[in-house]
Amino acid sequence: MAPGNTPLIHHTVLLHEAVDALVTRPDGIYVDGTFGRGGHSRLLLERLGPGGRLLAIDRDLDAVAAASAGDTRVDDPRFSIHHAPFARMADVVSAAGVGRVDGVLLDIGVSSPQIDNPERGFSFRFDGPLDMRMDTSRGESAADFLARADERHIAEVIKNYGEERFAVSVAKAIVARRESGSPVRTTTELSNLVAGAVKTREPGQNPATRTFQALRIFVNAELEELEQGLNAAMDLLVPGGRLAVISFHSLEDRIVKTFIARESKSVFDRRAPFAEPTPSRLIALGRVKPSDEEVAANPRSRSAVMRVAERTDVGVAP
């Protein structure tokens, strides 16, 4: 629950646009690689026919629980939920007895229930343990990383994943506090520390925004998982199958944009200039942003970008 026992609400971004782009065969098999609270999955099930099937994946145990029990349970024989990172979707699909799929949806980043739950440690708006793990059953928390990493490593993480100009100053402050015998353990402690280290503040943005983003991405290996997930989706899609990816900041979108652009080009072998080029494995179908109405209703959707591509038959085994 959020502060004051307010229910955690998740507004699904680009809901209809994503499902419209993804579903080409109502009786096909689809993967929702980031179930969250099931907004996309529920609409996908509405669009699927009796022979359709939806495999949902999430590495957040709270999301898996929400799909499995209580008022938010998805009770549909065509649906199954699986606890795993979406980079391992090939294992999930194989274990489900499926060969290839007709569509893969990825909604990248952190969800509203994760942000709004102080116990998860994703937000500087609430005081809580500095955790930030999407899968709390494994891995190292942000606090544990800051407690053992050297100044250079911390600065590299904050600069590379948060694009923070004052990364070195923030890292110095974190290490100095740790060496004083009081390492950073809570979101408020980190937020206050960053506020003192960041000299120039961007209008309308909390000075801790970039540092929190950087630590979250690093702790969860989000960019590496995205790259692995895109390749996994490529291998699973049938010819004509769709890939739809929603991202929320430039680091993610750059990876998706580069991947689709690379796979949508015909490749020429410079050593054989007269040979036919290798055809592309994807066809780029477009880029979609939230409407003005959606942004007004859900300001968190403002930075969202969805890129859609379609699988060709190149490299697909019979």
Side-chain angles (χ1 to χ4, degrees):
M1 300 289 282
N5 294 322
T6 302
L8 299 173
I9 299 173
H10 178 62
H11 298 281
T12 305
V13 175
L14 292 168
L15 173 59
H16 291 275
E17 294 88 342
V19 174
D20 288 345
L22 197 69
V23 178
T24 55
R25 287 203 318 123
D27 286 333
I29 302 172
Y30 294 86
V31 172
D32 181 353
T34 46
F35 177 80
R37 289 302 182 269
H40 288 118
S41 281
R42 287 180 172 83
L43 185 58
L44 277 166
L45 288 168
E46 289 182 19
R47 299 286 181 86
L48 296 185
R53 189 172 177 187
L54 177 60
L55 308 177
I57 301 170
D58 208 297
R59 59 174 166 175
D60 189 327
L61 288 167
D62 288 349
V64 175
S68 307
D71 295 339
T72 58
R73 178 188 177 194
V74 180
D75 190 9
D76 191 311
R78 301 169 300 168
F79 173 86
S80 59
I81 182 71
H82 307 268
H83 178 226
F86 62 73
R88 288 179 46 211
M89 70 176 79
D91 294 336
V92 171
V93 168
S94 176
V98 175
R100 294 188 178 274
V101 301
D102 296 274
V104 174
L105 172 64
L106 301 177
D107 185 355
I108 307 303
V110 65
S111 68
S112 294
Q114 290 169 328
I115 294 172
D116 295 336
N117 184 349
E119 295 302 313
R120 303 300 299 273
F122 285 105
S123 176
F124 45 75
R125 294 188 295 117
F126 314 115
D127 187 32
L130 189 62
D131 193 317
M132 294 194 184
R133 290 173 298 163
M134 291 183 178
D135 184 350
T136 54
S137 69
R138 66 189 69 193
E140 181 180 50
S141 71
D144 289 342
F145 166 68
L146 295 180
R148 58 96 179 154
D150 61 31
E151 181 183 306
R152 180 178 178 181
H153 192 188
I154 295 171
E156 287 177 348
V157 167
I158 295 172
K159 179 181 179 181
N160 293 340
Y161 297 132
E163 301 176 304
E164 172 58 74
R165 290 181 294 159
F166 300 99
V168 172
S169 297
V170 173
K172 285 181 181 296
I174 290 170
V175 172
R177 176 176 173 128
R178 184 177 75 196
E179 292 178 346
S180 74
S182 182
V184 174
R185 302 301 303 179
T186 72
T187 55
T188 298
E189 290 172 354
L190 178 60
S191 179
N192 291 339
L193 201 67
V194 174
V198 173
K199 307 303 180 185
T200 304
R201 305 188 179 193
E202 299 174 56
Q205 186 178 89
N206 187 295
T209 299
R210 293 179 180 274
T211 296
F212 270 68
Q213 172 188 296
L215 290 172
R216 189 203 84 216
I217 291 173
F218 173 76
V219 164
N220 295 290
E222 291 180 34
L223 302 187
E224 294 83 355
E225 184 183 7
L226 176 56
E227 291 175 344
Q228 294 169 18
L230 292 171
N231 284 302
M234 172 76 78
D235 293 338
L236 288 172
L237 286 170
V238 299
R242 297 283 179 85
L243 170 66
V245 186
I246 302 170
S247 55
F248 289 84
H249 63 72
S250 59
L251 293 176
E252 298 166 342
D253 184 52
R254 194 177 304 138
I255 291 172
V256 180
K257 179 181 179 181
T258 300
F259 178 83
I260 292 177
R262 181 181 69 240
E263 298 296 343
S264 298
K265 291 179 180 177
S266 297
V267 179
F268 291 85
D269 187 345
R270 295 180 180 179
R271 298 166 299 179
F274 299 106
E276 290 293 322
T278 302
S280 62
R281 298 198 295 170
L282 286 179
I283 300 171
L285 297 182
R287 171 180 177 272
V288 181
K289 292 277 292 178
S291 65
D292 292 341
E293 292 77 12
E294 179 170 2
V295 172
N298 178 20
R300 285 179 179 172
S301 70
R302 182 180 295 109
S303 60
V305 178
M306 180 175 69
R307 295 185 185 274
V308 183
E310 184 172 290
R311 187 71 163 93
T312 69
D313 60 2
V314 175
V316 178

